[in-house]
Amino acid sequence: MDSKSKIILAAIAGVALVFGYAGFSLISKAGSQRSQASASTTPVRISGQAQIGGPFTLVNHLGETVTHEDFAGKAKLIYFGFTYCPDICPTALQTLNVALNQLGEEERAQFQPILISIDPERDTPEALALYVSAPAFPDNLIGLTGTPEQVAAAAQAYRVYYARIEDEGSMAEYLMDHTSVIFLMDQNDQFADLFTDGSDPLTIASRLQYFLQEQLIN
Ligand code: NI
C-alpha cells in the first residue's frame, strides 16, 4: 500500500469514526479506489455532538469576504470541490440539483447550496461565478474560495481531505483528489446529515424533507 492509499484510508477511517457510519464513500480519482455506501433512506444517525463544521472566513464568487454568520438561519448543503474537476464534482452538484428539484418551491428555498473550492489557486471568484451559473447546478448555488489558509481551515473544520495530484499530460496540469460529500448543516450550523456519491437524488430529496419535518417538530 503506498502512502497515498494510507492517507485516504486514514481519512475514511477518521470520518467513519466521527459519524459511526461505516458506509462512508470516498472516491480517489487518481487511485480509482471506491468504497460505495449502500443506499439508505434513513438519515445518518449520530450520538452526541458531531465535530463536523465550524466557523469559516472565505470569499464568495462576487469577491466579497463572507463568514459562516452570513448564512445564519438557513440550512446549508455544503460541498467541497473544484471547478477543474472532470467528473466527481459536476456529478455531485447535478445530483444535488435533481434532488432539490424534487422539492416544492418553499421547501427548496430553505436550503442554501454552497460549493467551497479546495483549489483556490485556480478557483478565483470570477472562475467560481462562471462555474456556479451552470444550468445543471442548483440555481442559487454559491461558490466560496479564499486564501489557501482560509480554504484549509474550512476543510479542516469539515474533516475534508484534499491533495494536489500532478497530471502533466493534461492541459489542467494538476487535479485535486478530495472527499466528495454533501454536508447538510442546520440553521444553527449543526451537522444534520450527509450525502455521498452513492446517494441517489430521490433518496437525498426524501432525507431533506425528513430534515424539514424534524425541524418543525423540534
Ligand atoms: Ni471533484
Side-chain angles (χ1 to χ4, degrees):
M1 186 181 290
D2 60 27
S3 62
K4 186 170 160 300
S5 300
K6 284 179 187 162
I7 292 167
I8 292 166
L9 288 176
I12 293 171
V15 176
L17 199 71
V18 168
F19 292 111
Y21 175 67
F24 182 76
S25 162
L26 182 144
I27 290 178
S28 158
K29 283 188 297 296
S32 296
Q33 296 180 354
R34 188 170 192 135
S35 66
Q36 190 72 32
S38 59
S40 167
T41 52
T42 51
V44 175
R45 287 291 178 186
I46 46 169
S47 56
Q49 193 85 341
Q51 297 299 310
I52 290 290
F56 60 75
T57 300
L58 293 162
V59 176
N60 71 14
H61 66 253
L62 302 175
E64 302 161 338
T65 295
V66 296
T67 75
H68 57 288
E69 291 180 344
D70 289 289
F71 304 100
K74 271 208 147 183
K76 291 155 286 285
L77 290 158
I78 298 180
Y79 183 79
F80 288 80
F82 69 115
T83 67
Y84 276 66
C85 185
D87 42 24
I88 306 295
C89 296
T91 300
L93 294 170
Q94 286 174 42
T95 298
L96 180 59
N97 188 41
V98 173
L100 288 168
N101 284 333
Q102 302 297 315
L103 306 181
E105 201 174 323
E106 282 184 23
E107 292 176 321
R108 194 164 56 239
Q110 299 190 54
F111 297 102
Q112 174 60 62
I114 298 172
L115 167 66
I116 300 180
S117 173
I118 42 74
D119 184 14
E121 187 181 323
R122 292 184 296 202
D123 287 342
T124 60
E126 295 77 18
L128 277 177
L130 187 64
Y131 192 72
V132 299
S133 68
F137 297 165
D139 283 344
N140 58 340
L141 179 63
I142 288 176
L144 300 181
T145 185
T147 65
E149 293 77 19
Q150 288 172 330
V151 165
Q156 189 174 22
Y158 282 83
R159 303 291 192 268
V160 162
Y161 155 87
Y162 63 99
R164 177 175 166 140
I165 307 290
E166 299 307 321
D167 188 19
E168 283 156 14
S170 84
M171 296 279 285
E173 292 184 17
Y174 68 93
L175 292 170
M176 298 300 292
D177 192 18
H178 65 96
T179 305
S180 181
V181 165
I182 298 167
F183 298 98
L184 171 58
M185 307 298 289
D186 74 10
Q187 291 81 346
N188 301 313
D189 277 332
Q190 298 301 306
F191 171 82
D193 203 351
L194 66 78
F195 309 107
T196 70
D197 293 317
S199 306
D200 70 273
L202 294 180
T203 301
I204 295 173
S206 68
R207 276 159 57 171
L208 292 179
Q209 286 173 321
Y210 178 90
F211 165 78
L212 291 178
Q213 286 162 15
E214 292 275 292
Q215 300 296 112
L216 288 176
I217 293 164
N218 296 325

